Amino acid sequence: MKTYELVVPCHFGLEAVLKREIYDLGYEISRVEDGRVSFQGDAEAVCRANIFLRTAERVLIEVGRFRATTFEELFQGIKALPWEDYIPVNGKFWVKKASSIKSKLFSPSDIQSIAKKAMVERMKQHYDVEWFAEDGAPYPVRIFLLKDEVMVTLDTSGDSLHKRGYRTLTSKAPLTETLAASLLLLTPWRPDRILVDPFCGSGTFPIEAAMIAAGIAPGMNREFTAEQWTNLIDRKLWYECVKEAEEMIHTDVKVDIQGYDIDGDVIKAARENAKRAGVDHLIHFQQRPVAELHHPKKYGFIVTNPPYGERLEDKADLPKLYGEIGAAFRGLDSWSMYLITSYDEAERYIGRKADKNRKIYNGMLRTYFYQFMGPKPPRRSVRDTAGGDE
């Protein structure tokens, strides 16, 4: 089966999490760049990456790379690529997006226009036609320029992979599903440990945690552009990958995942989202302010996305709010806390310096992932674990 160089974008700063996911799927990493990871894979790998990767933004097939400092070099470079190997004569093809960083060619609209013309010229010669109906399957192209190196790709995903299909109702400042999954996978949380999000909003952290615990593949209930590419990917491969995903689900898993929010309407929306994701029975949602966060269990996790105070009128409330977060955390014996925020005085008002602090871009917003580590739970003896549930 033909193999491709598959390029998988992710949140900037979280490449290591995506690398681990790709390794766990059974593929070897060929390249790591800022905000993306590449690996070799066949048509089945395209399906599996789209369905199983929790932290990927989309899955791209690399058509080619070359240097270009002039529009003529860009035109000739695009024209030299074997488009006929990917796009049939009736395929609908266009440059969905062009981005340029530190390159002499920097106008996205000009890059898009010239690339399309070059593709048409190449395919006119190959198919011996003067005009394309473009009434077949869609083949969106994405082009990236970095320091005058051009990477040309086909987008197999369509809608970004953060659109799992469960979140139709969102709160004011939602965290994307892919970012929430990435941050959860950065922590040492495991499904046998309690997890609480005291600012759960539309429920993204608890829902992603429950999906991880239950083995629910993030992409199994949505569609992908490449499902229509029957010239490249046999449709039965998609069915086989979904079947593989279905066989990995264990929704009877025992977990303690909780989501709180001060807004009752938001909690209602979170419950609806969890129901659509098939994990509502695994999460306890409750209307509750962070000041009332307490729990008798030990060695739990807080993973949360508290308000940042992006609006000036909200900034004044942040010292009190982050003080309440700190007080609640101090009252939880042996717990760990992980929170993402752009508020630069978070540690001051929480009352403790984070053990680790990771800079992460949430869209265009620079945020910090503060990691306050609690002690590890004692190892269970063999006698404790053997037959404990009998």
Side-chain angles (χ1 to χ4, degrees):
M1 195 179 278
K2 182 177 170 62
T3 60
Y4 305 101
E5 180 80 355
L6 300 179
V7 182
V8 187
C10 63
H11 273 86
F12 186 84
L14 294 170
E15 299 84 3
V17 185
L18 176 56
K19 266 178 67 180
R20 191 167 73 227
E21 275 205 286
I22 292 168
Y23 277 133
D24 289 347
L25 273 185
Y27 304 107
E28 290 297 317
I29 307 297
S30 54
R31 189 191 293 230
V32 179
E33 300 163 284
D34 286 345
R36 58 181 179 241
V37 180
S38 301
F39 69 98
Q40 292 274 325
D42 56 13
E44 183 188 57
V46 172
C47 305
R48 296 184 76 228
N50 274 298
I51 289 168
F52 287 103
L53 292 178
R54 297 183 189 280
T55 65
E57 293 301 308
R58 56 185 68 250
V59 179
L60 309 170
I61 293 175
E62 184 180 308
V63 181
R65 288 186 188 235
F66 56 88
R67 278 185 62 79
T69 57
T70 67
F71 285 121
E72 179 60 24
E73 287 175 346
L74 177 69
F75 181 89
Q76 295 301 336
I78 300 277
K79 188 181 172 187
L81 298 176
W83 292 106
E84 64 278 1
D85 291 351
Y86 300 93
I87 304 172
V89 68
N90 69 332
K92 180 184 178 185
F93 58 99
W94 74 105
V95 181
K96 174 84 174 176
K97 187 175 181 184
S99 63
S100 176
I101 299 171
K102 297 179 181 173
S103 299
K104 291 185 176 64
L105 304 179
F106 56 82
S107 165
S109 59
D110 288 338
I111 293 165
Q112 287 170 288
S113 172
I114 285 162
K116 169 80 180 196
K117 286 175 186 169
M119 292 169 69
V120 168
E121 284 304 308
R122 169 78 184 209
M123 291 171 65
K124 272 164 63 174
Q125 289 175 7
H126 180 81
Y127 289 117
D128 195 25
V129 296
E130 283 299 313
W131 180 79
F132 294 95
E134 297 196 54
D135 55 1
Y139 293 81
V141 174
R142 289 176 179 261
I143 299 176
F144 306 86
L145 278 78
L146 176 62
K147 296 178 181 175
D148 300 322
E149 183 182 43
V150 184
M151 181 174 71
V152 185
T153 67
L154 277 173
D155 181 3
T156 73
S157 303
D159 283 341
S160 171
L161 294 181
H162 81 265
K163 294 186 177 178
R164 320 280 207 219
Y166 67 74
R167 198 173 75 174
T168 59
L169 301 165
T170 62
S171 55
K172 279 185 292 189
L175 206 63
T176 66
E177 295 86 333
T178 45
L179 180 54
S182 299
L183 297 179
L184 283 165
L185 293 173
L186 264 183
T187 76
W189 175 76
R190 295 293 175 268
D192 61 347
R193 306 269 293 276
I194 180 174
L195 185 143
V196 176
D197 180 357
F199 300 93
C200 73
S202 52
T204 312
F205 268 135
I207 291 169
E208 289 294 320
M211 288 176 72
I212 290 168
I216 298 173
M220 64 181 295
N221 292 315
R222 53 157 286 169
E223 295 177 339
F224 308 98
T225 294
E227 288 180 69
Q228 301 172 65
W229 298 357
T230 50
N231 61 318
L232 298 178
I233 303 173
D234 192 318
R235 279 201 73 84
K236 74 174 186 181
L237 285 176
W238 293 101
Y239 299 130
E240 287 169 1
C241 289
V242 170
K243 188 165 181 279
E244 179 189 357
E246 286 170 346
E247 288 169 355
M248 293 171 69
I249 296 172
H250 43 276
T251 52
D252 57 348
V253 63
K254 297 285 186 285
V255 292
D256 192 344
I257 298 171
Q258 302 185 19
Y260 307 145
D261 202 280
I262 200 166
D263 186 330
D265 289 337
V266 163
I267 286 293
K268 188 178 173 187
R271 286 197 184 105
E272 289 294 316
N273 290 338
K275 191 173 182 181
R276 264 186 298 278
V279 294
D280 51 317
H281 64 296
L282 299 176
I283 306 168
H284 172 67
F285 286 111
Q286 188 179 349
Q287 184 178 357
R288 185 196 286 198
V290 69
E292 293 178 19
L293 172 57
H294 44 78
H295 204 286
K297 283 189 183 176
K298 290 189 168 193
Y299 306 109
F301 284 79
I302 296 171
V303 183
T304 194
N305 173 38
Y308 304 165
E310 287 310 298
R311 294 183 308 177
L312 279 175
E313 60 267 32
D314 296 336
K315 280 266 193 233
D317 300 333
L318 293 184
K320 179 176 182 286
L321 182 68
Y322 280 77
E324 288 174 348
I325 293 170
F329 181 46
R330 284 190 293 278
L332 292 165
D333 180 34
S334 69
W335 279 46
S336 300
M337 179 166 70
Y338 297 79
L339 62 85
I340 181 171
T341 179
S342 67
Y343 184 44
D344 52 13
E345 295 204 72
E347 290 170 302
R348 175 185 170 191
Y349 290 107
I350 286 169
R352 174 178 160 183
K353 188 162 177 58
D355 298 292
K356 287 185 180 177
N357 177 9
R358 198 179 187 116
K359 185 164 65 177
I360 291 165
Y361 280 87
N362 182 7
M364 297 302 291
L365 185 66
R366 185 171 67 179
T367 61
Y368 297 92
F369 190 47
Y370 292 105
Q371 302 165 63
F372 301 88
M373 317 289 204
K376 290 182 180 177
R379 284 179 175 271
R380 287 195 222 170
S381 68
V382 174
R383 193 170 63 185
D384 289 340
T385 55
D389 296 326
E390 293 175 4

